[in-house]
Amino acid sequence: MNMDQLKRQAAAGALEYVHEGMRVGLGTGSTAKHFVELLGERVSAGLKIIGVPTSEATRDDAVRCGIPLATLDEVDRLDLTVDGADEIDPSLNLIKGGGGALLREKIVAAASDRMIVIADDTKWVGVLGRFPLPVEVIPFGFAATQRAIAKAFAQAGLSGQMVVRKGKDGHVFVTDGGHWIVDAHLGRITDAPRLAGLLTAIPGVVEHGLFIGLANLAMLAGPQGIRVVERP
């Protein structure tokens, strides 16, 4: 079974948690895309739900799949969000943002009663940090913000190269919110909750890719099948 098939298997597992009348946050990325497509098939078969997308790309996919959509201005609370992750640790803390949608993903996850993470089992790690940590920043005062980020890393006992993300066209990648992303290559983040707090306190940081205490359940697809992990 190849990686794409594993991702689809995880997405199919998450469908079991979606029930009639639910308001569902729709994640962004390659694994979440499978979930949107499979959910669209259920909707075509008669399932009535409302989806809230976490990016313009996901919105486009959901419209193509016939999923009725709303925004968080129109619904006050979501029953469930299903999204992927770039890394998952044993406490179900995550690194997200490889696709550039971390801000909207975190807003939607925080507005949900439950968050299910779907991924292939290569995303499971003992300690977060092998995947570069995305930090979404405001372009204004960027150098000052970058210095503050480096200081926060030092306070957390970390250091590593920071790279401004570029798009496929070679220009600076711009998020749906009009911001930039710095990818920090930290190696190991031994105290992810502390680092999250330090980064959140920086005025020029819009959001960061550490999702702490948001995921309730992870569905990890591997060669032996689906492994379900619930937050301790």
Side-chain angles (χ1 to χ4, degrees), residues 39 51 89 94 96 130 159-160 186 210 213 228:
L39 181 61
D89 77 6
L94 318 171
K96 288 180 52 56
R130 181 181 63 196
S159 65
L186 300 172
L210 291 169
V228 177

CSV table of all heavy atoms in Angstrom, one decimal, residues 39 51 89 94 96 130 159-160 186 210 213 228:
chain,number,residue,atom,x,y,z
A,39,LEU,N,-16.1,12.5,2.3
A,39,LEU,CA,-17.3,13.1,2.9
A,39,LEU,C,-18.3,13.5,1.8
A,39,LEU,O,-19.5,13.4,2.0
A,39,LEU,CB,-16.8,14.3,3.8
A,39,LEU,CG,-17.9,15.0,4.5
A,39,LEU,CD1,-18.7,14.1,5.5
A,39,LEU,CD2,-17.4,16.2,5.3
A,51,GLY,N,-20.1,22.0,6.4
A,51,GLY,CA,-18.6,22.0,6.6
A,51,GLY,C,-18.1,23.4,6.7
A,51,GLY,O,-18.7,24.4,6.1
A,89,ASP,N,2.9,13.9,18.4
A,89,ASP,CA,3.7,13.3,19.5
A,89,ASP,C,2.8,12.4,20.4
A,89,ASP,O,1.6,12.5,20.2
A,89,ASP,CB,4.5,14.3,20.3
A,89,ASP,CG,3.8,15.1,21.3
A,89,ASP,OD1,2.5,14.9,21.5
A,89,ASP,OD2,4.3,16.1,21.8
A,94,LEU,N,0.9,18.7,18.2
A,94,LEU,CA,1.1,18.6,16.8
A,94,LEU,C,2.0,19.7,16.3
A,94,LEU,O,2.1,20.8,16.9
A,94,LEU,CB,-0.2,18.7,16.0
A,94,LEU,CG,-1.5,18.0,16.5
A,94,LEU,CD1,-2.7,18.5,15.7
A,94,LEU,CD2,-1.3,16.5,16.4
A,96,LYS,N,1.8,21.7,12.7
A,96,LYS,CA,1.0,21.8,11.5
A,96,LYS,C,1.4,23.1,10.8
A,96,LYS,O,2.1,23.9,11.4
A,96,LYS,CB,-0.5,21.9,11.9
A,96,LYS,CG,-1.1,20.6,12.3
A,96,LYS,CD,-2.6,20.7,12.6
A,96,LYS,CE,-3.4,21.3,11.5
A,96,LYS,NZ,-3.3,20.6,10.2
A,130,ARG,N,11.4,17.5,14.3
A,130,ARG,CA,12.1,17.0,13.1
A,130,ARG,C,11.6,17.8,11.9
A,130,ARG,O,12.3,18.2,11.0
A,130,ARG,CB,11.9,15.5,12.9
A,130,ARG,CG,12.6,14.9,11.7
A,130,ARG,CD,12.4,13.4,11.6
A,130,ARG,NE,10.9,13.2,11.4
A,130,ARG,CZ,10.4,12.0,11.6
A,130,ARG,NH1,11.1,11.0,12.1
A,130,ARG,NH2,9.1,11.8,11.4
A,159,SER,N,17.8,26.3,19.1
A,159,SER,CA,18.4,27.1,18.1
A,159,SER,C,18.3,26.4,16.8
A,159,SER,O,18.1,25.2,16.8
A,159,SER,CB,19.9,27.5,18.4
A,159,SER,OG,20.6,26.3,18.3
A,160,GLY,N,18.3,27.1,15.7
A,160,GLY,CA,18.2,26.5,14.4
A,160,GLY,C,18.0,27.5,13.3
A,160,GLY,O,17.7,28.7,13.6
A,186,LEU,N,14.5,23.2,14.0
A,186,LEU,CA,14.9,23.1,15.4
A,186,LEU,C,15.4,21.7,15.8
A,186,LEU,O,16.1,21.6,16.8
A,186,LEU,CB,13.7,23.5,16.3
A,186,LEU,CG,13.2,25.0,16.1
A,186,LEU,CD1,12.0,25.2,16.9
A,186,LEU,CD2,14.3,26.0,16.4
A,210,LEU,N,2.5,25.0,16.4
A,210,LEU,CA,2.4,24.1,17.6
A,210,LEU,C,0.9,24.1,18.0
A,210,LEU,O,0.4,25.1,18.4
A,210,LEU,CB,3.3,24.6,18.7
A,210,LEU,CG,4.8,24.4,18.5
A,210,LEU,CD1,5.6,25.1,19.6
A,210,LEU,CD2,5.2,23.0,18.4
A,213,GLY,N,-2.8,20.6,22.9
A,213,GLY,CA,-4.0,20.3,23.6
A,213,GLY,C,-5.3,20.4,22.8
A,213,GLY,O,-6.4,20.5,23.4
A,228,VAL,N,-5.5,3.8,16.4
A,228,VAL,CA,-6.2,4.9,17.0
A,228,VAL,C,-5.6,5.2,18.3
A,228,VAL,O,-5.4,4.4,19.2
A,228,VAL,CB,-7.7,4.6,17.2
A,228,VAL,CG1,-8.5,5.7,17.9
A,228,VAL,CG2,-8.4,4.2,15.9
